[in-house]
Amino acid sequence: LIDSLRDQARLDAASYINEVMDQAKLDANAQAKKIVIQTIQRVATETAIENSVSVFHIDNDEVKGRIIGREGRNIRCFEQATGVELNIDDTPDLITITCFNPVRREVARLALEHLIRDGRIQPGRIEDVVKKYQNEIDQEIMKAGEEAIFKLGIGRIDREIVKLIGTLKYRYSYGQNALQHSMEVAYIAGCMAAELGLNQQIAKRAGLLHDIGKALNIEQQDGSHVELGYKFCKKHGEKEIVLNAIHSHHGDVEPKFLTSHLVIAADT
């Protein structure tokens, strides 16, 4: 009788444990969905069109000849100074600036606008104007990085990392502006951290920096944007919890912290 009761108790206990486990999984799944939905509702997303071409409008086609210059001297100098390609064809009142590097493309657009407005288009002048706008864009990049950090309220970050954050403003990925995407990931990760009672500031910091490798010049360095971003932030003193979030957000390494899982969810 005792053996029979013991066996029955074991069966009942095993059945009860299975029921509890199944219910716990259902509850956890529902709770996770609730956290994500509540977070998404608090963040409005904006997307931007990915582009490798800037279209530049001119008042009349006579300007095209001055931009090309005698035997093409001006256009060669401009392309060498900016690293872009100018396409001047028969399309009326239009010049296209082509380059995969959006920072260079923006410098070229501003420099070309200045040269046409000024009227003095010659090799020496082109180099001076391009240098002037390269300095302006560098300042704009720092300002964009500092504004992003201030808006998120995540404390001090190394100046070199701030510069990279600002550079994301001029980069696009899957049709979305990279800085806008990183800030949204930071907001979402921070909101989810708050829902779960985790450190909100660390989650926002990890979210903002998760794609920082995209701002580095990948063609001149070995490794994916994940690896490059991880190495760069490690070099400039970021904490292990932030580094793991950067390193694990594409599944390259195992997420060690809850914050890493939040960044993966927010990024998705």
Side-chain angles (χ1 to χ4, degrees), residues 223-240:
S224 67
H225 78 273
V226 173
E227 194 66 35
L228 292 175
Y230 167 77
K231 287 177 180 174
F232 189 86
C233 288
K234 187 175 183 179
K235 180 183 174 184
H236 291 279
E238 285 299 316
K239 292 179 181 176
E240 179 59 28

Side-chain angles (χ1 to χ4, degrees), residues 83 99-102 104 171 213-225 228:
C99 182
F100 283 110
N101 186 319
R104 287 182 190 169
R171 299 203 178 268
K214 287 182 178 177
L216 290 161
N217 202 346
I218 289 175
E219 58 265 27
Q220 293 177 4
Q221 301 179 61
D222 292 328
S224 67
H225 78 273
L228 292 175

Side-chain angles (χ1 to χ4, degrees), residues 99-203:
C99 182
F100 283 110
N101 186 319
V103 176
R104 287 182 190 169
R105 208 167 62 239
E106 182 64 9
V107 169
R109 187 188 68 77
L110 292 169
L112 189 59
E113 190 177 75
H114 181 102
L115 287 164
I116 291 170
R117 189 170 61 245
D118 184 53
R120 290 177 291 163
I121 306 173
Q122 55 197 37
R125 180 72 178 150
I126 287 168
E127 288 175 2
D128 290 343
V129 171
V130 168
K131 198 173 286 184
K132 173 181 181 284
Y133 282 105
Q134 279 173 341
N135 291 334
E136 279 195 17
I137 289 293
D138 284 344
Q139 289 173 16
E140 184 64 30
I141 282 169
M142 283 304 292
K143 185 181 173 186
E146 286 165 355
E147 280 181 1
I149 291 160
F150 177 75
K151 282 179 183 176
L152 291 166
I154 53 177
R156 291 187 64 209
I157 290 185
D158 187 278
R159 294 285 295 172
E160 290 300 312
I161 297 178
V162 175
K163 187 177 180 181
L164 278 194
I165 292 167
T167 305
L168 289 173
K169 178 181 176 180
Y170 296 97
R171 299 203 178 268
Y172 291 83
S173 181
Y174 295 103
Q176 189 178 23
N177 180 271
L179 179 57
Q180 182 69 23
H181 165 71
S182 294
M183 289 185 72
E184 285 166 3
V185 170
Y187 280 127
I188 293 169
C191 290
M192 286 196 283
E195 295 283 346
L196 294 166
L198 300 174
N199 188 318
Q200 196 172 357
Q201 199 177 47
I202 287 287

Side-chain angles (χ1 to χ4, degrees), residues 47-51 172 175-177:
T47 58
I49 299 166
E50 187 169 9
N51 209 343
Y172 291 83
Q176 189 178 23
N177 180 271

